[in-house]
C-alpha cells in the first residue's frame, strides 16, 4: 500500500495542468515525470532478502583460531577444518586443526597441515610444530570420539575431490599421538557392518541411526539444524526377522573373508547352512563406483565405495541392502527384495 505522501505526489504528477499563457518548460516536465516513475518503482520494489546470521562458532574453535593466528597469521587462507573432543581423557575437550597450505599466488592449496591444541589448566596450549606433516600423508580429520582421533589418508591433496585410501585411529600417549590401527577401505566396510550388527543385537538405536541416512548430516552456515529424524529410513529394520537376517548375513560373510576380484572390487560369499537360509549370502564392495561424488544443499561428498549386502529369504528370493562409504562411515542408499 502506498503512503499518503507518496499518493499525494503521484496525484500531483497526474493532475491535468491548469490553463496557462504558455506551456511549462520541457525540462521541468521531464523531471516531474521521471520523479513520478522513480517513486512508483521504489514503492513497488520488493524488500531486500533477510540474511540469516551464521551460527556462532564453538568457543574452543574461536580460542584455537586466535592461537593459530599468532603462530601462523594466514593459517586459514585456503581452508580450515576442526576436530573437537577429549583426546587425553582428562575431562576437558582438546582440538585438532587441519588447514591448507600452498605457494604464493596458487589458485588453491596443494598440501595440508595439522596442529594439535590441548586443554591445560591455563587454557589451550598449541603444541610445537616440527615443520613437517604430523601424519606423513594428506590427512583429513574426521573427529575425536571416546579419546580416539580418526584421520583419513587421502590419495592426494591436490586432487579436486580426493578419495580416502586408508582410515587411521590415534590415541594420546602423554607425549603425542600414538597409532592404534589402520584400515583399508574394504576393511573399513567390514568393521562398519560389524558395528551395525552389534547395534542390532544390542538394540542400540542411536548407533543404527548414524547409518540409516543417505549421507552425512551437514548444516549450511546460518541454516537451522535439520530435524533429528530427517533423512532416516528405519524400514530396513522394521521387523525382527529382517534384523536377525541382516545380522546373520554380516556375521557369516565376515567369517568367510573377502576375495579380490581385481579393478577395485571385493566379494565375499557363503551358502546358508539350514533350511530357513539355504540360499547364498553375498557381499560386494566397489571401490570405484560410477557415482563417485554426491552433492547436497550443504556440501559435496566423495563416495569411497558402494556396498551391496545380500541374504536369502524363506520364499527363495534375496534381500539387498545397499550402502555408500563416505568419510569412513556407511550410509544406507536403498534396500529391496528381488523377485522369485
Amino acid at each position: 500500500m502506498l503512503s499518503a505522501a507518496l499518493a499525494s505526489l503521484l496525484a500531483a504528477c497526474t493532475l491535468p495542468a491548469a490553463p496557462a499563457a504558455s506551456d511549462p518548460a520541457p525540462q521541468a516536465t521531464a523531471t516531474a515525470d521521471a520523479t513520478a516513475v522513480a517513486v512508483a518503482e521504489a514503492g513497488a520494489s520488493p524488500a531486500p532478502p533477510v540474511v540469516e546470521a551464521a551460527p556462532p562458532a564453538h568457543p574452543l574453535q574461536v580460542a584455537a583460531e586466535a592461537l593459530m593466528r599468532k603462530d601462523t597469521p594466514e593459517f586459514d587462507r585456503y581452508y580450515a577444518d576442526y576436530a573437537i573432543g577429549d583426546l587425553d581423557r582428562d575431562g576437558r575437550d582438546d582440538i585438532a586443526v587441519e588447514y591448507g597450505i600452498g605457494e604464493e599466488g596458487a589458485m588453491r592449496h596443494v598440501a595440508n597441515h595439522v596442529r594439535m591444541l590441548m586443554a591445560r589448566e591455563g587454557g589451550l596450549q598449541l603444541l610445537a610444530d616440527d615443520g613437517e606433516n604430523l601424519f606423513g600423508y594428506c590427512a583429513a580429520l574426521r573427529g575425536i570420539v571416546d579419546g580416539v582421533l580418526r584421520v583419513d589418508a587421502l590419495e592426494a591433496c591436490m586432487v579436486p575431490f580426493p578419495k580416502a585410501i586408508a582410515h587411521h585411529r590415534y590415541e594420546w600417549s602423554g607425549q603425542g599421538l600414538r597409532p592404534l590401527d589402520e584400515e583399508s577401505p574394504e576393511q573399513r566396510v567390514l568393521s562398519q557392518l560389524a558395528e551395525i550388527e552389534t547395534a542390532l543385537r544390542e538394540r542400540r538405536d542411536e548407533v543404527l541411526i548414524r547409518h540409516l541416512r543417505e549421507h552425512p548430516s551437514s548444516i549450511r552456515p546460518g541454516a537451522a539444524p535439520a530435524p533429528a529424524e530427517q533423512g532416516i529410513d528405519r524400514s530396513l529394520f522394521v521387523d525382527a526377522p529382517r534384523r536377525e537376517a541382516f545380522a546373520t548375513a554380516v556375521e557369516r560373510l565376515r567369517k568367510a573373508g573377502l576375495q579380490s576380484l581385481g579393478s577395485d572390487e571385493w566379494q565375499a560369499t557363503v551358502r546358508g547352512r539350514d533350511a530357513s537360509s539355504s540360499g547364498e549370502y553375498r557381499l560386494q564392495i566397489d571401490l570405484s563406483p560410477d557415482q563417485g561424488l554426491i552433492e547436497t544443499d550443504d556440501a559435496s561428498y566423495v563416495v569411497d565405495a558402494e556396498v551391496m549386502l545380500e541374504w536369502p529369504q524363506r520364499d527363495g528370493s534375496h534381500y539387498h541392502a545397499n550402502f555408500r562409504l563416505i568419510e569412513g562411515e556407511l550410509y544406507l542408499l536403498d534396500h529391496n527384495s528381488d523377485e522369485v
Side-chain angles (χ1 to χ4, degrees):
M1 180 180 294
L2 296 179
S3 66
L6 179 57
S8 299
L9 177 57
L10 291 177
C13 293
T14 55
L15 286 175
S22 60
D23 292 335
Q27 183 176 357
T29 301
T31 300
D33 291 343
T35 301
V37 172
V39 172
E41 289 180 347
S45 297
V50 177
V51 179
E52 296 182 5
H58 191 289
L60 204 59
Q61 177 181 328
V62 175
E65 289 175 346
L67 289 175
M68 286 294 300
R69 284 202 172 85
K70 288 181 180 180
D71 183 84
T72 308
E74 294 186 345
F75 86 96
D76 58 351
R77 176 181 178 186
Y78 296 99
Y79 81 96
D81 284 333
Y82 306 86
I84 298 175
D86 185 5
L87 185 59
D88 56 4
R89 303 174 187 268
D90 66 350
R92 296 171 296 197
D93 279 346
D94 311 293
I95 183 168
V97 181
E98 170 200 337
Y99 59 98
I101 57 177
E103 299 297 329
E104 183 67 29
M107 295 301 294
R108 63 188 306 275
H109 73 280
V110 295
N112 72 352
H113 209 63
V114 175
R115 299 289 301 276
M116 302 298 304
L117 297 98
M118 307 300 291
R120 298 292 182 253
E121 290 295 337
L124 277 183
Q125 177 184 343
L126 177 63
L127 301 190
D129 185 10
D130 59 10
E132 297 180 1
N133 190 319
L134 180 61
F135 300 106
Y137 51 80
C138 184
L141 298 178
R142 298 307 186 202
I144 301 173
V145 180
D146 296 331
V148 175
L149 173 65
R150 286 186 50 231
V151 183
D152 285 353
L154 305 182
E155 55 184 332
C157 283
M158 68 286 298
V159 175
F161 295 101
K163 293 173 63 67
I165 57 175
H167 306 275
H168 300 264
R169 298 195 312 150
Y170 298 86
E171 67 177 1
W172 188 255
S173 68
Q175 301 299 321
L177 293 174
R178 183 177 70 87
L180 280 176
D181 53 45
E182 174 186 347
E183 294 178 314
S184 64
E186 63 272 14
Q187 291 170 334
R188 182 65 179 171
V189 169
L190 289 180
S191 63
Q192 284 284 283
L193 287 173
E195 179 177 276
I196 297 175
E197 175 196 351
T198 301
L200 283 170
R201 297 194 187 283
E202 296 179 355
R203 299 184 178 277
R204 296 175 59 193
D205 193 57
E206 73 282 0
V207 174
L208 293 177
I209 286 177
R210 294 208 312 267
H211 300 286
L212 296 180
R213 302 181 186 274
E214 291 188 11
H215 51 72
S217 178
S218 60
I219 303 173
R220 296 188 310 275
E229 300 298 311
Q230 185 172 319
I232 297 177
D233 179 5
R234 294 176 179 270
S235 61
L236 175 60
F237 303 126
V238 69
D239 57 69
R242 191 180 298 168
R243 290 197 301 270
E244 180 59 31
F246 184 102
T248 298
V250 172
E251 179 184 17
R252 293 183 178 182
L253 289 166
R254 287 178 59 221
K255 291 180 179 178
L258 291 173
Q259 294 182 336
S260 174
L261 302 179
S263 302
D264 293 327
E265 289 188 272
W266 295 80
Q267 179 177 273
T269 59
V270 65
R271 299 291 301 183
R273 294 173 295 186
D274 51 63
S276 63
S277 58
S278 58
E280 184 178 69
Y281 294 82
R282 185 158 57 104
L283 173 65
Q284 286 187 321
I285 302 173
D286 183 359
L287 301 181
S288 296
D290 292 335
Q291 188 175 4
L293 184 72
I294 59 173
E295 298 189 37
T296 70
D297 293 338
D298 307 308
S300 298
Y301 298 101
V302 175
V303 180
D304 291 316
E306 286 187 350
V307 180
M308 190 275 289
L309 181 69
E310 176 184 279
W311 63 88
Q313 300 186 107
R314 291 180 178 273
D315 61 4
S317 65
H318 286 79
Y319 207 89
H320 310 266
N322 299 294
F323 294 85
R324 291 188 179 115
L325 183 68
I326 301 173
E327 297 184 352
E329 298 283 329
L330 278 183
Y331 294 93
L332 181 65
L333 177 59
D334 56 46
H335 56 97
N336 57 78
S337 177
D338 61 19
E339 297 180 0
V340 180

